Amino acid sequence: MARVLAACDDYLLAATGSAALPADVQSLYYSLPDGADFEQKQLLVVCDGATVVGVVDAVTAHPDRLGCSVGLFLLDPEARRGGLGTRAARQLLREAAARGMRYVTATCPQSWAPGLAFLVRMGFEMSAPAQDAGPTVGNRLRFPAENGLCTAVRKLDAAPPGDGPSDDGPPDRGAP
């Protein structure tokens, strides 16, 4: 996971204004949004064969019992644009629906065009950045550049776009 975070400096610089730090993986384990418990935390990896190429940070049953919040969905730049991110996101959406969740929320910096485009392709509805509420994100201090996060919501009562039996859909050009 640390290698993936370090490889994703393009995203981390856009999102936080800071490159990956050695303690970022540990921070992922402990960072929770207000009102969430550690039992709700899901840290997942995306693999290409035996190689970890992606990291997903999700909190189930948040912000309420019918939702799932995704705080981070990153792919190593070498693994992007081949459809792996799209397939992983579809699987995560199916799994969330199978567990009784009715929607997924995600955030993306307004300056991260590849991530915004990916969320739209995956059927998320985007909202403009709201006023950032305070000095913290989860249980850590907010980086000075960590403002202007767009919120995306995807209802789970329908299959993800392009989710037919033999359709891998278009490659995820620019997926985060």
Side-chain angles (χ1 to χ4, degrees), residues 13-35:
L13 287 169
T16 68
S18 177
L21 300 171
D24 282 348
V25 173
Q26 182 179 5
S27 294
L28 281 177
Y29 284 101
Y30 296 108
S31 182
L32 286 171
D34 288 338

Side-chain angles (χ1 to χ4, degrees), residues 1-131:
M1 288 174 60
R3 186 195 56 74
V4 171
L5 289 176
C8 293
D9 274 349
D10 56 348
Y11 170 79
L12 292 170
L13 287 169
T16 68
S18 177
L21 300 171
D24 282 348
V25 173
Q26 182 179 5
S27 294
L28 281 177
Y29 284 101
Y30 296 108
S31 182
L32 286 171
D34 288 338
D37 293 322
F38 284 107
E39 295 81 30
Q40 295 169 258
K41 181 76 162 195
Q42 305 288 315
L43 282 178
L44 309 167
V45 293
V46 178
C47 295
D48 186 8
T51 305
V52 174
V53 296
V55 176
V56 179
D57 172 25
V59 178
T60 59
H62 188 272
D64 58 43
R65 66 179 185 79
L66 298 177
C68 177
S69 298
V70 176
L72 190 65
F73 186 107
L74 284 179
L75 285 183
D76 184 311
E78 297 290 321
R80 296 175 190 167
R81 297 177 182 79
L84 184 60
T86 299
R87 289 189 303 274
R90 285 186 188 145
Q91 179 59 37
L92 291 169
L93 291 169
R94 283 191 296 270
E95 182 67 25
R99 291 179 181 219
M101 288 167 235
R102 303 307 336 140
Y103 66 96
V104 173
T105 60
T107 56
C108 185
Q110 65 184 349
S111 63
W112 188 245
L116 296 172
F118 179 75
L119 288 166
V120 168
R121 273 195 320 279
M122 293 305 302
F124 283 78
E125 293 183 26
M126 304 300 297
S127 297
Q131 179 68 16

